Structures are given as C-alpha cells and as structure tokens.
Amino acid sequence: AKCGDGASFDVVLRDRFGNPALDVKDGYASEFVESANIPMSIAIFETLKDGGHGARLSGVDVSSRGIQLGKGYRESAFEVFYSAFKTGTLSVQVTVRGKPLFPTPKKVVVSAGPTSALYSVASGDGLEGAGMRGTALERSFSLEARDDFDNPTARGEDAWEARLKPADAKTKTVAVLISDQGNG
C-alpha cells in the first residue's frame, strides 16, 4: 500500500472443503446487502516495533460483491477498502462470527507517497550562515524529502532545484557540490 492511495483486498468466505460459504437462514441462502448484515469484522492496526498493535485504522469500508453461482445462490464475497496515511506496517485480521480467519494477522507494508516540496525539510548551517574551513567558506544544508502526509520518503533520486545567491555583489561564482545520499 502507498500513503494516501486507496487500497483494497477481497475476502471470499468458503467452508472447510473449499466450497463457497453461504449464510443460510431458514434453509435459504441469505444475501448480505448492507454492511450491518455481514457476519464478519475487519481490524486493521498499526504494527508497533515490538510487534504489538497500535492505533486502529479508521475509515475501513466493506462492500458485498455477491457473485452469481447459479440457481439464485450467491457466493459470500466482499471487498475491503482502506487508506493509510502513515508509513510502516499494518496488521490485518478478519474475523467471521468472532473467529479469526488467519492464525496470525496478515502484514501490509505502507510506503511513503510521492515527494511533496511543501512537507520536505531543509536543515543545516548553509541556510543561515557558515564559517571558514581552511581557505574556503563552506556552507552545507540537507534536504529531507517527505510526502504529503509528512512521512520521510527514504528513496532518494528526487529532482530538486537549489538557487544560491552570493551574499555580496562582488562575488561572481559560487562552487557547489550536490550529492544524493539515496535516503530521501
């Protein structure tokens, strides 16, 4: 998943023999039209560094995608939509009638979105001034590329433009060394 982009996955309920699982009510297959009638819950949490669960992701939507099987029966198929705005790892657990679908939660890695100049950060002594080092006046600064949700991109290779203006009118040239550290 990528920060800010909608992501989705499908859940298809099957019995222990691999047959499409239908919810039967009074001997008839029931169709789940409203999310309140879906006999499952989806929990998506941030995964903490110690492996525990952090905040639960809000805004997870589930929609029924019944697939015609013949004779009016429908497979219990659902599409789960979510958006993440923080880089890291998410833990996904699906429960059906209170029982976990997976023995352990599934992991989803969320990467940073595209670089945003608005949230990227410049730092270093070259932004405000510098001192003499040997016979040269050295100034340096770093750019940390961040996405629209203030996550470090940690990719490198973004295109940046820096304009250096001499402090006095007598200086005609400024020697510049630019290097990509490859870490955003």
Side-chain angles (χ1 to χ4, degrees):
K2 188 171 279 203
C3 284
D5 289 350
S8 68
F9 60 90
D10 291 336
V11 176
V12 178
L13 303 180
R14 298 187 179 281
D15 66 15
R16 62 184 173 161
F17 304 106
N19 299 313
L22 299 172
D23 193 39
V24 178
K25 187 175 184 180
D26 300 326
Y28 296 97
S30 295
E31 184 177 336
F32 306 116
V33 177
E34 298 177 19
S35 61
N37 297 332
I38 298 171
M40 71 175 172
S41 67
I42 311 293
I44 303 178
F45 293 92
E46 291 179 41
T47 304
L48 301 176
K49 290 180 182 179
D50 66 3
H53 290 220
R56 186 173 184 157
L57 196 68
S58 61
V60 177
D61 294 318
V62 180
S63 66
S64 177
R65 290 184 23 175
I67 301 169
Q68 197 73 29
L69 295 176
K71 295 187 180 181
Y73 290 97
R74 292 185 176 266
E75 182 177 30
S76 296
F78 306 93
E79 189 166 13
V80 179
F81 298 93
Y82 67 96
S83 292
F85 301 99
K86 186 175 178 183
T87 57
T89 303
L90 297 175
S91 297
V92 178
Q93 184 57 276
V94 178
T95 57
V96 179
R97 289 187 172 76
K99 295 180 181 175
L101 199 58
F102 318 118
T104 58
K106 299 293 183 184
K107 303 292 183 197
V108 176
V109 175
V110 180
S111 60
T115 298
S116 167
L118 181 64
Y119 288 96
S120 295
V121 178
S123 61
D125 64 1
L127 297 174
E128 296 180 20
M132 294 294 289
R133 294 198 179 116
T135 58
L137 177 64
E138 287 189 19
R139 295 181 176 151
S140 66
F141 67 92
S142 297
L143 289 173
E144 181 183 34
R146 300 180 82 79
D147 69 10
D148 281 328
F149 307 99
D150 205 24
N151 297 294
T153 61
R155 289 189 288 270
E157 299 186 15
D158 284 315
W160 291 95
E161 180 179 320
R163 293 188 182 142
L164 303 175
K165 185 176 178 182
D168 61 54
K170 294 178 185 178
T171 305
K172 303 257 189 230
T173 61
V174 176
V176 177
L177 173 64
I178 299 175
S179 65
D180 187 344
Q181 303 302 307
N183 60 1

